[in-house]
Amino acid sequence: MAERTDLFADIVLPLALPNLFTYRIPQSMSGSVVPGMRVVVQFGKSKLYAAVVWKVHENAPQYAAKYIEHILDPEPVVTEKQLELWEWMSAYYLCTRGEILIAALPSGLRLTSETRILLNPGHIESREGLSDEEFVVLEALDVRQTLTLEELSAILDRKTVYPLVKELIAKGFIRVHEELQERYRPKFENFIRLADAFNHEDKLREAFDELEKRAFRQLEVLMTFIRLSDRYAQPKEFVKRTQLLEAAKDSSGGALRGLITRGILEQHEIEVSRLLRAESEGRTILLSDEQQQALQEIRTQFESLDVVLLHGVTSSGKTEVYIRLIAEQLEQHKQVLYLLPEIALTTQLIVRLQKHFGEKVFVYHSKYSEQERVEVWQHVRKGGPVVVIGARSSLFLPFEKPGLIIVDEEHDSSYKQHEPAPRYNARETAIWLARLHGAKVLLGSATPSVETYFLAKQGRYGFALLTGRFGGTELPHIEVVDTKELARKKLMQSHFSPQLVEGIQQTLDRGEQVILFQNRRGFAPSIECQSCGHVPHCIRCDVSLTYHKVSDQLRCHYCGWTTPPPKQCEACGDTDLRMRGFGTEKIEEELALIFPTARIARMDLDTTRGKNSLHQLVADFENRKIDMLVGTQMVTKGLDFGHVALVGILHADQLLNFPDFRAWERSFQLMAQVAGRAGRRSKQGRVIIQTFNTRHPVIEQVVAHDYIGLYQQQIAERQEFSYPPFHRLIRLTLKCKDEHLLITAAQHLADQLRAYFGGRVLGPEFPAVGRIRDEYLKNIMLKIEREANSVKVKQIIANELLNMRAHPDYKKVRVVADVDPV
């Protein structure tokens, strides 16, 4: 008799644990548990979690291993390649695999452990002597059998019910168990089909004759069904019940029920997709000579390199080149991932790609419901040729045969995840994902990041160029307006120069559209007392509050705390309070006063929170239902509108004076990108930049469309001061509610790191905003040479962070690691 071998599984729990946890595989599950599969395990005394199997082996841990409770899926939901990607991300970005699991799996595939209470069937004591609340609980359980603690709180109208539950458990009346709930539920709809008995001409004719005599309304419904189902071509085709009732004008459903009762029609509940699908129009793209040359250059570069940068000016037709490359991959039955930095950009792109690829196009981002995201996950997992359009989270989809990853607007800082962990950069992660699958990566931008352009110049990435706009349209004419001088002469009209007001009026008179860019949302950045200069601050963060007029509230843009605007100064009591600065909300209001007949809309975080609000806003502007669009960075990124003749940048200095080594690069990118929204069809557009410093080098480079000049200036400075791409940055942020403990802990960690890295450790220093959500912050920055062994460097840092967590004096201090911060 063969000796029994005990099997164990290393499990990734949806928790920020440094190590994997090992569980014993029951004999009944032997051979069924494989890496990537979801299983239910108990962690702690009673909590159940849906976790992912990392590895199966025969090595027993040093602790008593618990058994796996259940297997959730017949096959893995996470592929081996995904697990490899998770492992790389965990090591590179100094985060746990549990944090990656939480970010990677759509919430519909994560189970929640929900505490439920139920009556103890073995308890026979009388209920006399119980309190009123205890008696209410038992009566409710008599009716509903089980209750969650949340439901119990609602019934008793009490915030905390734990003491009451604990008392009833002690008396033996109830018991508690943890029940895992699957969050994803397939969607079912009712469909109607013709019964098999009536699938013959003679039988159906008999039904017609009988209904004509006895139930003419049912006859109409039956004839409508046959027309909709195209019965003669596809005898057993189903028709959606709601569609049939609407077409037959049978609002009550009575006639349909009659046909089902007679056995002529049958009703079936069928699982359907929640995803909106579209048919391909079979369009053929005609490329210009320059586009064709760039396409051929990309193909040639891909023969020897895995990554190619396509540097094309705004409106040069990069998307048409992408579409050609996508078509080639689909013909080879490969999958394509099309990454975009903002959800806003998917709105227009979906329509364009669906015209070419129809039902092969899928969309994946946070505005989709968890049910829709699970369905996309399942479609991609099948391995068929698909095009996925998505934001950075779509990198975690279970691709089986990816051939190409397109990272559009590759320079955009939105590709970087900030909170919570994993704090990854989607551009770098896409390159690693492609490497795992042997796929290619195409980076596209009109204003590439300095790091990417440097790697292309070094020959590590391929390079293709589009220098002209598609159709021969000239790049927009850019004017610079000196608002400092205009303000001195009192010629400014609120926040608008005479040139901008005149330009807007002329544009509106021609029936064309305007975009105005102001990189701050809200009505006013702050309210200031005119007597003592006091500015209201957030009670939880070291930052001034922004006034939002629509809600009539002061709001913190860091923690979300709100309060009504004060009637008098909190410091001196004076009532002379004035607003300082301006945001998109104020711009929108003042434009309405200057141009009362214009249709004005605003695109920022406040106006695009709903699932379809952004889509509707873009569609309305595209269909010319809006004359002027005021927005933050969202209006700068890749949107393609054919009738925008004028773009206004209201306060360029706000971008240029930000305290960051990337400030000038980002300023150029934002201004060049928003300028590129003007004149994208046949007529040259116009851009007006309002600034206090008309001679600023970046302003001059934007006017001249001189990206190369910006790059040369930036690369020289970065080499001199040891910034990327010559050095890698790792920022460690320490957080604690005790400021003095934070200072001590930060200095201790910095000293420990200096023992290894010496002068490459900078800080600790308080950041510009030194307190957020009642926690004080201190930063330590490491500058590591690019040629240094990054694996060894990060192992040293990881060990020191582990030592910090284990140090008895610093238990209350949290450390957040951010690799390659942007």
Side-chain angles (χ1 to χ4, degrees):
M1 185 174 177
E3 186 178 342
R4 171 182 158 180
T5 303
D6 288 336
L7 290 177
F8 299 87
D10 292 340
I11 301 293
V12 184
L13 289 155
L15 302 168
L17 299 172
N19 299 324
L20 302 177
F21 213 73
T22 303
Y23 286 82
R24 188 183 295 272
I25 300 175
Q27 195 70 21
S28 60
M29 299 181 191
S30 181
S32 301
V33 177
V34 295
M37 183 174 279
R38 289 188 308 160
V39 293
V40 177
V41 295
Q42 182 181 338
F43 187 74
K45 291 184 178 180
S46 60
K47 286 286 184 184
L48 295 178
Y49 290 96
V52 171
V53 177
W54 188 267
K55 185 171 68 172
V56 176
H57 54 85
E58 299 177 5
N59 304 319
Q62 295 180 347
Y63 48 84
K66 297 177 182 177
Y67 280 97
I68 291 174
E69 301 278 343
H70 301 287
I71 296 175
L72 286 173
D73 308 289
E75 59 184 26
V77 296
V78 180
T79 68
E80 290 187 21
K81 294 295 185 185
Q82 282 179 288
L83 294 179
E84 288 183 50
L85 180 69
W86 293 9
E87 187 165 24
W88 173 79
M89 291 181 70
S90 174
Y92 187 85
Y93 289 109
L94 295 172
C95 61
T96 69
R97 282 167 281 200
E99 290 170 320
I100 298 172
L101 183 152
I102 295 169
L105 286 186
S107 56
L109 288 178
R110 297 200 303 269
L111 298 183
T112 59
S113 181
E114 186 176 20
T115 301
R116 303 184 73 88
I117 61 169
L118 61 160
L119 290 170
N120 184 357
H123 193 75
I124 57 174
E125 288 185 20
S126 169
R127 296 182 180 181
E128 292 183 8
L130 296 178
S131 68
D132 290 343
E133 286 188 329
E134 290 173 334
F135 195 78
V136 168
V137 172
L138 298 184
E139 277 197 325
L141 287 172
D142 285 334
V143 175
R144 297 172 60 176
Q145 282 76 55
T146 66
L147 286 169
T148 66
L149 295 186
E150 186 177 349
E151 290 168 341
L152 190 57
S153 294
I155 290 171
L156 298 175
D157 195 24
R158 280 181 55 170
K159 186 174 181 180
T160 305
V161 294
Y162 291 95
L164 179 63
V165 170
K166 184 179 178 183
E167 187 68 24
L168 284 171
I169 292 172
K171 293 178 179 178
F173 283 99
I174 64 173
R175 58 191 177 91
V176 175
H177 74 100
E178 292 292 323
E179 182 178 290
L180 280 168
Q181 292 191 333
E182 181 73 71
R183 299 179 69 168
Y184 173 67
R185 291 287 184 271
K187 182 180 179 181
F188 291 92
E189 287 188 1
N190 290 320
F191 285 79
I192 306 299
R193 58 162 287 193
L194 193 65
D196 290 337
F198 290 86
N199 245 332
H200 305 283
E201 289 294 329
D202 294 341
K203 193 68 175 173
L204 191 56
R205 190 174 294 111
E206 288 177 16
F208 281 156
D209 293 341
E210 183 181 354
L211 292 173
E212 189 173 12
K213 295 174 185 177
R214 299 175 179 273
F216 188 75
R217 188 73 188 95
Q218 293 180 21
L219 175 62
E220 290 181 324
V221 174
L222 180 58
M223 293 178 69
T224 304
F225 168 82
I226 291 172
R227 175 171 55 83
L228 293 175
S229 67
D230 191 19
R231 192 184 72 81
Y232 297 103
Q234 297 176 336
K236 293 188 177 181
E237 184 173 350
F238 288 90
V239 174
K240 191 183 293 187
R241 184 177 188 274
T242 53
Q243 182 185 4
L244 175 57
L245 293 176
E246 183 180 355
K249 296 183 171 56
D250 183 18
S251 57
S252 67
L256 176 58
R257 283 193 296 272
L259 289 167
I260 294 172
T261 302
R262 290 174 183 270
I264 299 172
L265 296 180
E266 297 173 346
Q267 180 168 300
H268 296 265
E269 193 176 55
I270 299 175
E271 183 179 345
V272 297
S273 173
R274 293 177 173 84
L275 306 174
L276 296 175
R277 318 304 298 134
E279 292 187 7
S280 168
E281 296 180 5
R283 293 192 172 189
T284 302
I285 293 181
L286 297 177
L287 300 182
S288 67
D289 291 342
E290 189 180 26
Q291 286 174 315
Q292 191 64 50
Q293 183 178 346
L295 177 62
Q296 189 54 49
E297 186 67 29
I298 292 167
R299 289 171 179 154
T300 303
Q301 302 265 6
F302 275 153
E303 292 176 5
S304 57
L305 295 166
D306 293 331
V307 184
V308 174
L309 168 64
L310 175 58
H311 181 197
V313 298
T314 54
S315 194
S316 58
K318 294 186 290 294
T319 306
E320 284 74 17
V321 176
Y322 299 157
I323 290 172
R324 278 289 187 93
L325 292 167
I326 291 169
E328 292 171 5
Q329 294 298 319
L330 295 180
E331 287 171 4
Q332 299 172 39
H333 300 282
K334 296 287 188 70
Q335 298 171 318
V336 177
L337 173 57
Y338 195 136
L339 280 178
L340 292 163
E342 290 276 2
I343 295 171
L345 300 183
T346 65
T347 305
Q348 288 185 315
L349 188 64
I350 294 165
V351 177
R352 294 181 70 178
L353 291 191
Q354 282 180 339
K355 288 177 180 178
H356 295 279
F357 307 116
E359 293 192 349
K360 292 180 180 178
V361 177
F362 292 87
V363 184
Y364 191 85
H365 57 62
S366 59
K367 289 290 178 74
Y368 272 50
S369 71
E370 64 181 43
Q371 315 285 7
E372 291 168 324
R373 289 164 69 110
V374 169
E375 289 194 18
V376 175
W377 184 284
Q378 293 169 342
H379 274 284
V380 173
R381 183 73 174 86
K382 293 174 184 175
V386 295
V387 184
V388 177
I389 306 171
R392 58 178 181 262
S393 61
S394 54
L395 283 165
F396 295 116
L397 285 166
F399 292 100
E400 289 287 337
K401 295 184 292 185
L404 176 66
I405 300 176
I406 297 168
V407 186
D408 200 13
E409 310 294 344
E410 65 81 27
H411 65 275
D412 201 290
S413 59
S414 297
Y415 279 125
K416 174 71 173 181
Q417 164 79 7
H418 295 287
E419 291 290 344
R423 295 170 181 83
Y424 65 100
N425 188 306
R427 180 184 63 212
E428 308 306 322
T429 307
I431 292 171
W432 192 264
L433 175 64
R435 187 177 301 169
L436 289 174
H437 287 276
K440 304 297 183 182
V441 178
L442 181 61
L443 308 176
S445 178
T447 53
S449 66
V450 169
E451 290 94 327
T452 298
Y453 199 82
F454 174 79
L455 292 172
K457 295 279 285 184
Q458 294 288 308
R460 293 175 60 182
Y461 292 171
F463 184 75
L465 184 63
L466 288 171
T467 57
R469 283 189 150 190
F470 184 75
T473 308
E474 292 184 57
L475 288 167
H477 172 68
I478 302 177
E479 306 168 28
V480 182
V481 175
D482 187 347
T483 49
K484 182 179 180 180
E485 182 65 17
L486 289 170
R488 187 183 68 79
K489 296 179 179 178
K490 298 183 178 180
L491 294 175
M492 292 289 289
Q493 189 170 347
S494 182
H495 305 291
F496 311 103
S497 63
Q499 294 92 325
L500 184 57
V501 172
E502 182 184 5
I504 292 173
Q505 189 62 63
Q506 291 172 351
T507 304
L508 296 177
D509 290 343
R510 293 194 303 266
E512 295 172 323
Q513 293 172 300
V514 177
I515 289 178
L516 296 180
F517 169 54
Q518 167 63 7
N519 202 30
R520 187 186 291 272
R521 63 189 173 99
F523 189 82
S526 62
I527 294 178
E528 183 180 81
C529 173
Q530 295 304 291
S531 296
C532 69
H534 174 75
V535 175
H537 274 62
C538 176
I539 60 171
R540 302 171 62 193
C541 311
D542 287 341
V543 65
S544 61
L545 296 169
T546 300
Y547 178 62
H548 289 251
K549 190 169 184 179
V550 171
S551 58
D552 192 31
Q553 288 181 327
L554 291 174
R555 182 177 302 163
C556 175
H557 287 177
Y558 281 82
C559 72
W561 183 75
T562 60
T563 183
K567 303 297 182 185
Q568 61 185 49
C569 177
E570 299 167 344
C572 69
D574 196 356
T575 57
D576 189 7
L577 305 177
R578 297 186 188 178
M579 295 179 187
R580 294 296 183 193
F582 58 98
T584 52
E585 196 178 342
K586 189 174 185 182
I587 296 300
E588 182 185 26
E589 180 182 278
E590 293 184 346
L591 283 173
L593 297 175
I594 301 172
F595 307 99
T597 60
R599 296 165 297 178
I600 305 166
R602 176 162 48 96
M603 181 187 284
D604 56 27
L605 188 62
D606 299 317
T607 61
T608 57
R609 294 182 188 275
K611 176 181 176 180
N612 296 314
S613 56
L614 183 56
H615 172 81
Q616 190 60 52
L617 186 59
V618 172
D620 287 346
F621 194 68
E622 197 167 20
N623 295 327
R624 306 179 74 176
K625 295 179 181 178
I626 297 169
D627 300 315
M628 274 192 279
L629 187 62
V630 182
T632 55
Q633 291 188 36
M634 297 175 77
V635 301
T636 71
K637 301 175 182 180
L639 292 169
D640 185 17
F641 301 115
H643 301 281
V644 175
L646 175 66
V647 166
I649 299 171
L650 298 178
H651 191 18
D653 309 276
Q654 186 183 63
L655 305 170
L656 294 164
N657 297 328
F658 195 76
D660 186 273
F661 77 92
R662 287 192 174 94
W664 285 17
E665 177 191 4
R666 285 201 185 128
S667 299
F668 180 91
Q669 289 166 343
L670 282 171
M671 286 189 276
Q673 289 285 344
V674 74
R677 302 315 106 202
R680 296 177 68 87
R681 292 297 185 266
S682 57
K683 184 179 177 182
Q684 185 183 26
R686 181 185 179 193
V687 180
I688 296 176
I689 300 176
Q690 297 187 163
T691 176
F692 283 1
N693 185 2
T694 59
R695 304 301 298 172
H696 194 287
V698 174
I699 298 288
E700 294 177 340
Q701 288 157 356
V702 171
V703 172
H705 306 286
D706 184 14
Y707 171 81
I708 302 302
L710 172 89
Y711 168 77
Q712 291 172 342
Q713 177 193 60
Q714 287 294 298
I715 205 71
E717 288 185 3
R718 297 202 188 175
Q719 186 168 22
E720 181 179 356
F721 296 107
S722 302
Y723 279 114
F726 302 100
H727 283 65
R728 295 185 186 276
L729 301 182
I730 301 174
R731 182 173 61 210
L732 303 177
T733 301
L734 290 86
K735 301 181 179 183
C736 185
K737 292 187 177 182
D738 184 332
E739 185 177 11
H740 297 293
L741 177 60
L742 174 72
I743 293 170
T744 305
Q747 191 60 54
H748 169 80
L749 180 58
D751 291 342
Q752 294 298 110
L753 292 171
R754 282 195 179 93
Y756 296 99
F757 303 114
R760 290 173 288 187
V761 179
L762 306 179
E765 296 289 343
F766 284 107
V769 179
R771 182 174 62 106
I772 297 175
R773 296 183 180 90
D774 284 329
E775 286 188 314
Y776 293 94
L777 283 68
K778 265 209 155 181
N779 288 338
I780 298 171
M781 185 72 80
L782 284 83
K783 289 184 176 181
I784 307 298
E785 297 86 350
R786 185 163 287 274
E787 58 272 14
N789 186 330
S790 63
V791 175
K792 186 176 179 181
V793 166
K794 285 167 187 171
Q795 189 58 56
I796 292 170
I797 295 171
N799 289 338
E800 288 304 322
L801 296 185
L802 200 61
N803 293 338
M804 272 288 292
R805 282 194 288 268
H807 198 291
D809 295 338
Y810 305 134
K811 292 284 188 183
K812 295 180 180 180
V813 180
R814 292 191 301 124
V815 185
V816 171
D818 190 358
V819 179
D820 301 334
V822 299

